[in-house]
Amino acid sequence: MSQFSAESIWRLNQQELINLLDSKIFMQKNREIRFYAPSFTYHKNSFFCSSPKDFPTVSITGTSCALNCKHCGGKVLTAMQSTITPDALFEFCFKLKRDGAVGCLISGGCLSNGSVPLKPFAAAIARVKHELGLTVFVHTGILDLETAILLKRSAVDAALIDVIGSQETINKVYGLNVAVSDYAKSLDMLQSAGLNFVPHVIVGLNEGKLDGEYAALQLISRTKPSAVVIIAFMPLHGTEMAKIEPPQPYDIARVIASARMMFPQTPLVLGCMRPKGKLRVITDVLALKSGVDAIAFPSKEAIDFAKEQGWSVSFSSYCCARIFTDFSADKNKLE
């Protein structure tokens, strides 16, 4: 792939991109593809069925979010388990452990500065880790060094952060009075604190069009993420962007292929948020052609495609951020 770079892939027109992906240049032999299906939504195919309890998502703000972003409007929070106090969070996790769960994703709505109010929950998270031994991933939003250090001391397994590379998207969709540089600083804080961190890049968040995704990848490339997750805008009923067309599969594939070139040794994932239906089927197969190592909530067609290539496949009830741990385990086995 030496004749290609992330920048050159970004400049290809759609037909050139199609030709590149059809050339199978990213499709190495002897690959293992991991498919993830955590508990926040039901997922079943002929190969795997998600568990309703193994790895749920909780919101420490309930359904409250100060931003009311145009693409979400707080709708995503309604699908999460509400744990709005530290005691409620620990009690919920205690029940998870009792019922055989393996962990959870701690999320929530944002404050007006784009942060998730995690500081008051740091001690409870530490108890969940040290007393219950659950795997804990945390959505952070924009954060400072103090919060990053608290999360490290709480022993969270990984911090997940959406990285936005377009000032227009930040202002228009999020309604935030922050800059692209604040996302860069947040990545630096996570790295400085010694946390495992998994940046997410959202394709098409600015009304379905590409705007800032490449810049977001560039920001991430200045750090050493544990994994990189690509997700995509999907219209949600009842939001201001409900009737906006989602990004096209080849736009998503362009971002994935560019990320693969920027991060050749870093686990790369197609995450859970992306358009459904026929678009998802096309996107999933293109993602495999573009070099992803994992897909969350895969279409059956993606699983069939991976098997047709002779790749080994595995299934997990964890959040897809688990990919870096799975990679490390495989490396240790080889050594």
Side-chain angles (χ1 to χ4, degrees), residues 153-335:
R153 290 175 178 171
S154 298
V156 300
D157 294 276
L160 283 53
I161 179 171
D162 295 341
V163 179
I164 310 300
S166 161
Q167 192 62 50
E168 180 180 329
T169 300
I170 293 170
N171 298 145
K172 185 170 72 174
V173 179
Y174 281 178
L176 268 174
N177 186 28
V178 301
V180 171
S181 60
D182 290 304
Y183 290 91
K185 291 175 184 176
S186 295
L187 290 170
D188 289 340
M189 296 305 98
L190 291 168
Q191 182 159 286
S192 296
L195 279 161
N196 295 312
F197 62 100
V198 181
H200 288 45
V201 176
I202 310 172
V203 183
L205 187 57
N206 192 354
E207 299 187 345
K209 63 186 179 183
L210 292 177
D211 177 36
E213 292 85 351
Y214 188 78
L217 290 173
Q218 288 180 308
L219 290 180
I220 297 166
S221 71
R222 298 169 187 168
T223 62
K224 295 181 179 179
S226 302
V228 175
V229 177
I230 307 299
I231 55 179
F233 162 69
M234 55 182 291
L236 295 178
H237 178 72
T239 67
E240 291 188 51
M241 294 175 63
K243 296 184 179 180
I244 298 293
E245 290 292 323
Q248 293 302 300
Y250 276 99
D251 285 338
I252 301 171
R254 184 185 303 278
V255 178
I256 293 171
S258 299
R260 182 75 290 169
M261 295 304 301
M262 282 191 189
F263 306 95
Q265 304 301 321
T266 302
L268 181 62
V269 184
L270 177 63
C272 56
M273 190 177 83
R274 61 190 189 279
K276 297 181 179 180
K278 292 182 179 179
L279 289 179
R280 174 163 294 200
V281 172
I282 299 170
T283 297
D284 289 5
V285 174
L286 286 176
L288 291 171
K289 289 184 177 182
S290 302
V292 295
D293 301 295
I295 298 178
F297 300 112
S299 61
K300 183 179 182 299
E301 289 81 359
I303 302 170
D304 290 340
F305 181 83
K307 287 179 171 291
E308 288 167 5
Q309 307 311 309
W311 299 332
S312 61
V313 301
S314 61
F315 301 87
S316 172
S317 293
Y318 279 88
C319 165
C320 67
R322 162 88 178 193
I323 183 73
F324 74 91
T325 301
D326 292 336
F327 259 57
S328 295
D330 285 351
K331 184 178 180 181
N332 291 334
K333 287 178 184 177
L334 292 174
E335 293 176 348

Side-chain angles (χ1 to χ4, degrees), residues 18-142:
I18 290 172
N19 294 340
L20 176 64
L21 298 183
D22 285 345
S23 72
K24 300 185 178 181
I25 193 169
F26 295 98
M27 293 170 55
Q28 302 173 3
K29 295 180 180 179
N30 303 319
R31 286 174 66 187
E32 179 175 357
I33 305 298
R34 293 173 172 82
F35 297 114
Y36 293 90
S39 303
F40 71 81
T41 190
Y42 180 71
H43 180 79
K44 183 178 181 181
N45 55 50
S46 57
F47 301 97
F48 182 75
C49 182
S50 62
S51 162
K53 62 175 179 59
D54 276 0
F55 208 96
T57 302
V58 302
S59 171
I60 58 173
T61 65
T63 58
S64 175
C65 179
L67 301 185
N68 194 33
C69 302
K70 291 183 178 180
H71 71 297
C72 173
K75 300 295 182 183
V76 174
L77 296 174
T78 63
M80 302 179 187
Q81 174 69 37
S82 178
T83 58
I84 60 174
T85 67
D87 286 344
L89 175 62
F90 183 80
E91 182 179 352
F92 178 75
C93 290
F94 181 87
K95 292 177 181 178
L96 285 181
K97 179 69 173 181
R98 181 194 62 193
D99 294 339
V102 293
C104 66
L105 169 61
I106 298 174
S107 187
C110 289
L111 302 176
S112 59
N113 63 0
S115 69
V116 178
L118 290 163
K119 290 180 184 178
F121 291 83
I125 294 171
R127 289 188 65 198
V128 171
K129 286 300 303 174
H130 297 306
E131 296 180 28
L132 305 179
L134 293 175
T135 295
V136 175
F137 298 148
V138 175
H139 270 145
T140 66
I142 290 173

